[in-house]
Amino acid sequence: MNKRSRFILVLAVLALCFVFLWPSIKWYALTPKEDQALALSSLENIKDYSNVKATDDLEALKAKVKADENAPLEQDQKWLLKLAKKNYKAMGSKLPENVGLLDVMRSFSSEDELRTAIEGHYRDQILDNKNTYKNSVKLGLDLSGGMNVIVKADLDAVVAGKDENSNIDDATLRVNAMAQAIETLSGRIDRFGLSSPTIRQQGDDRIYIEIPGSAEADQINSIIQGRGILNFRLVDTEASESFNSYYAANRANTFDSQGRLINSSIIPEDCEVLGVYSTDEYGLDQRDGYLVVKKEIVLDGKHIKSAQVGSEGITGRPQVSFTLDSEGTIIFGDFTAENVNKSLAIISDNRVKSNAVIREAIRGGSIAITGFGQQEAENLEKVLQTAWLDVPLEVESQQVLGSSLGQKAIRQGLMAIAIGLAAIMLFMLIWYKGAGINACVAQILNLYIMFSILSGFNFTITLPSIAGMILTIGMAVDANVIIFERIKEELKLGKDRAAAIATGFSNAFWAILDSNITTFIAAAFMSQLGSGSIQGFAYSLAIGVASTVFTALVVSRLIFDVGTEAFHKKRVSIGWGIKQ
């Protein structure tokens, strides 16, 4: 590789690393703490916050215009001007030259439309911060504090309780049961306002849950031990319309902080209010509104034998079809005959997943539901296929770590990296003189590349990860020492600067590559055979090995070449007792 190619390669790698690192920089350095806390809250809390803020802002705008019809747009309201331009264009009108707040408000057809726009503005900002966090490097529980829980799912009990007429084999049933259990837990934890949980399957029958921040152990256990069996309930249309009218006029005073009705008398005693949910662009449940449904369960999900996604014959719209067992067929047939033209809600884990109108009595046991998009249909199919499942969950282990201990661990880890890096850089500067500067630059770039890759792949930094970084610092300087010693040997033979550097790098190449390859192999085995903190150490070490080879053989060589050709240096300052 010639010098120009090496220079272009280094620039390309550094630029790519900055792209990887930018979400972490934006999140940890540029996002205020209060915005971070809001972005890390549940989708329910974000929705409620945006709703309340939009209502308050709308009232403030109306009061400002009432006081002064010529009130101008403030700096933080300039985003409304873009929407106003689109609205005027849609109406076929021209935007006034001196646009005021009143002109902007008039561009919206109603107050609800303006409130929705303001709510969307808040929501987009928060979800953008949430997306930034998702793409940034994470801090493990040992650094941020929180709780981790390992939950065991009793899949044997699921298989034992399978319907004799079910056409699902045991292996598929186990996979579906785990998927349904994970989905149910994810929805519950988000609904209870627990921030940014990590939920993943561990092995065949265990679920690993990691919840940063403070959380009550009893609350977590109550969430996990809950059940998410799907059921069908009748919708009280009249009560729903009445409630939604009441809610539109009393948004801030309808529910308490726990989501319970403040005034339960606004709905019939035999009913309850449930949210209607759909999946947003982030794949999270988003509440679209509310329905008042009967408390009595019409049909339990255990009567569903199978479900599949198809398309409606005439319109081609997505359609979910499912089949009931014999008992369910009789129950559903009698119920639908008695409630023609009424609405039936499909509910999972106290969330309305679908709402359909009963057009006629359904007696064959085969039911088709339409009225949603392809993704929603596929999600509903997955729910219906395992609707009857009641997966017994048991908390196998639970560990809580205080946030103060995590902050202390962060300080200690950063201090260890800083002291280790400073000590090594000082040694290299004293022992190798001018060439030590080369090693210092390589060390800094090495850490930069490591953090960038960790951020780019959304890895989690833990204490073992920091240990891997510290080990990498020592390994990286070891590569520089090998190169420098080889160059010194060539200088002692009387070679000039350019020849000594070229030969020194050539002789050191395989020694560096061999030692780092063996370390990389060990890290690869640890990452595959280990788990948890061992994997964190292994990933950090493997990334460090790759960045060490790059900085030692490419970056260091480029710095030497720049000194030789750009600054026309004839001598090499590389240690004591070296004469040229």
Side-chain angles (χ1 to χ4, degrees):
M1 182 183 295
N2 58 40
K3 301 172 185 63
R4 177 176 295 180
S5 299
R6 194 177 291 117
F7 178 71
I8 293 174
L9 176 61
V10 171
L11 285 182
V13 170
L14 295 182
L16 182 62
C17 286
F18 181 79
V19 173
F20 285 163
L21 195 58
W22 173 245
S24 296
I25 296 174
K26 184 180 178 183
W27 175 258
Y28 291 104
L30 303 179
T31 304
K33 293 293 184 182
E34 56 272 18
D35 290 346
Q36 289 184 3
L38 191 57
L40 290 177
S41 63
S42 68
L43 192 64
E44 293 268 358
N45 291 340
I46 293 173
K47 180 75 173 180
D48 292 339
Y49 173 85
S50 301
N51 198 313
V52 171
K53 288 291 290 183
T55 302
D56 292 344
D57 284 5
L58 179 59
E59 293 300 321
L61 292 177
K62 289 164 61 179
K64 191 172 183 180
V65 169
K66 186 177 181 180
D68 180 11
E69 291 188 354
N70 298 317
L73 282 170
E74 296 181 2
Q75 190 62 37
D76 60 348
Q77 297 169 339
K78 293 296 184 182
W79 62 271
L80 280 170
L81 187 59
K82 295 181 179 179
L83 295 180
K85 289 179 180 179
K86 293 181 180 178
N87 292 339
Y88 273 100
K89 186 176 181 180
M91 293 185 296
S93 303
K94 188 176 180 181
L95 192 69
E97 291 185 6
N98 298 319
V99 183
L101 189 55
L102 181 59
D103 297 318
V104 170
M105 293 180 68
R106 283 174 174 171
S107 71
F108 293 89
S109 60
S110 64
E111 287 187 5
D112 281 343
E113 184 182 354
L114 177 55
R115 191 191 63 78
T116 301
I118 298 173
E119 180 182 343
H121 177 68
Y122 279 110
R123 183 174 63 249
D124 290 344
Q125 285 184 324
I126 299 170
L127 292 181
D128 180 63
N129 288 334
K130 183 183 281 288
N131 195 43
T132 299
Y133 172 74
K134 288 180 180 178
N135 294 322
S136 67
V137 66
K138 311 295 188 302
L139 297 180
L141 292 189
D142 51 0
L143 299 180
S144 64
M147 173 187 294
N148 65 26
V149 184
I150 296 179
V151 179
K152 185 178 186 300
D154 191 350
L155 300 183
D156 292 334
V158 173
V159 173
K162 183 178 68 171
D163 191 289
E164 295 181 358
N165 298 321
S166 175
N167 55 4
I168 303 178
D169 61 87
D170 290 353
T172 303
L173 182 60
R174 287 174 177 270
V175 172
N176 289 346
M178 285 299 291
Q180 179 70 357
I182 292 173
E183 181 182 351
T184 300
L185 285 175
S186 299
R188 287 185 189 145
I189 290 175
D190 180 78
R191 177 162 53 94
F192 275 77
L194 303 175
S195 60
S196 292
T198 297
I199 304 176
R200 62 175 182 267
Q201 185 170 339
Q202 191 175 75
D204 295 329
D205 59 354
R206 284 169 174 78
I207 302 171
Y208 177 79
I209 305 172
E210 191 172 275
I211 305 171
S214 59
E216 294 293 335
D218 292 340
Q219 183 187 23
I220 300 297
N221 290 336
S222 66
I223 294 171
I224 292 171
Q225 298 300 334
R227 296 291 182 262
I229 302 176
L230 182 140
N231 56 71
F232 297 75
R233 300 194 214 173
L234 193 64
V235 177
D236 191 326
T237 306
E238 184 178 343
S240 294
E241 293 175 354
S242 175
F243 170 80
N244 285 320
S245 299
Y246 176 87
Y247 179 69
N250 302 274
R251 290 179 180 273
N253 303 312
T254 303
F255 298 101
D256 60 18
S257 59
Q258 301 299 319
R260 296 185 294 260
L261 279 177
I262 295 176
N263 181 10
S264 59
S265 64
I266 61 176
I267 62 171
E269 291 185 4
D270 62 340
C271 295
E272 63 178 318
V273 178
L274 297 180
V276 180
Y277 289 83
S278 62
T279 304
D280 66 5
E281 63 271 22
Y282 291 95
L284 300 173
D285 271 356
Q286 177 174 278
R287 189 179 63 236
D288 298 325
Y290 293 96
L291 277 179
V292 177
V293 300
K294 298 291 185 181
K295 293 180 180 179
E296 181 184 1
I297 295 176
V298 174
L299 183 71
D300 199 284
K302 67 182 181 180
H303 295 294
I304 296 175
K305 291 172 57 179
S306 63
Q308 61 183 6
V309 174
S311 59
E312 196 176 16
I314 300 175
T315 64
R317 292 181 302 176
Q319 175 177 280
V320 177
S321 303
F322 57 95
T323 305
L324 301 175
D325 61 16
S326 56
E327 182 182 355
T329 299
I330 296 172
I331 296 173
F332 199 71
D334 293 342
F335 173 80
T336 53
E338 296 172 2
N339 294 277
V340 174
N341 294 326
K342 293 184 179 180
S343 293
L344 185 68
I346 300 177
I347 298 166
S348 177
D349 204 30
N350 282 332
R351 295 187 175 197
V352 178
K353 295 291 187 178
S354 181
N355 177 30
V357 176
I358 303 172
R359 299 299 181 188
E360 59 184 6
I362 304 172
R363 299 205 177 267
S366 296
I367 305 167
I369 308 174
T370 59
F372 31 72
Q374 184 65 33
Q375 184 61 50
E376 290 175 305
E378 292 175 358
N379 291 342
L380 185 58
E381 177 194 26
K382 183 169 64 174
V383 172
L384 293 175
Q385 282 180 337
T386 55
W388 60 275
L389 293 177
D390 183 8
V391 185
L393 301 176
E394 177 185 356
V395 176
E396 198 168 59
S397 68
Q398 185 172 276
Q399 183 179 13
V400 180
L401 185 65
S403 58
S404 59
L405 184 59
Q407 291 297 322
K408 182 179 180 181
I410 292 175
R411 290 194 297 270
Q412 291 176 340
L414 293 177
M415 184 65 69
I417 291 177
I419 292 175
L421 184 61
I424 288 174
M425 291 172 67
L426 182 62
F427 170 79
M428 295 300 288
L429 289 171
I430 293 174
W431 190 255
Y432 290 106
K433 295 186 175 181
I437 299 175
N438 185 321
C440 292
V441 172
Q443 286 280 15
I444 294 171
L445 290 181
N446 191 32
L447 283 177
Y448 168 73
I449 293 172
M450 284 184 64
F451 276 111
S452 299
I453 296 176
L454 286 170
S455 177
F457 288 93
N458 300 328
F459 284 132
T460 299
I461 294 182
T462 60
L463 280 176
S465 300
I466 294 177
M469 294 178 191
I470 297 173
L471 178 59
T472 299
I473 292 174
M475 293 172 56
V477 80
D478 181 61
N480 286 116
V481 168
I482 294 173
I483 293 171
F484 294 168
E485 291 300 326
R486 293 293 186 273
I487 293 175
K488 288 167 67 174
E489 290 175 0
E490 299 303 319
L491 291 173
K492 289 177 181 179
L493 295 176
K495 293 184 179 180
D496 62 9
R497 175 188 171 97
I501 290 173
T503 307
F505 271 92
S506 178
N507 292 339
F509 179 83
W510 284 111
I512 294 172
L513 207 60
D514 288 347
S515 62
N516 281 281
I517 286 175
T518 54
T519 305
F520 188 87
I521 292 173
F525 272 98
M526 280 194 292
S527 68
Q528 294 299 314
L529 301 178
S531 61
S533 58
I534 296 176
Q535 281 186 328
F537 175 81
Y539 291 145
S540 179
L541 183 60
I543 294 170
V545 166
S547 61
T548 293
V549 172
F550 177 77
T551 54
L553 298 179
V554 179
V555 176
S556 292
R557 178 65 184 274
L558 180 62
I559 296 174
F560 274 121
D561 288 343
V562 169
T564 302
E565 299 191 3
F567 296 99
H568 306 291
K569 291 184 178 181
K570 302 296 183 182
R571 302 169 63 87
V572 184
S573 175
I574 200 168
W576 303 93
I578 302 298
K579 297 181 180 181
Q580 290 179 272

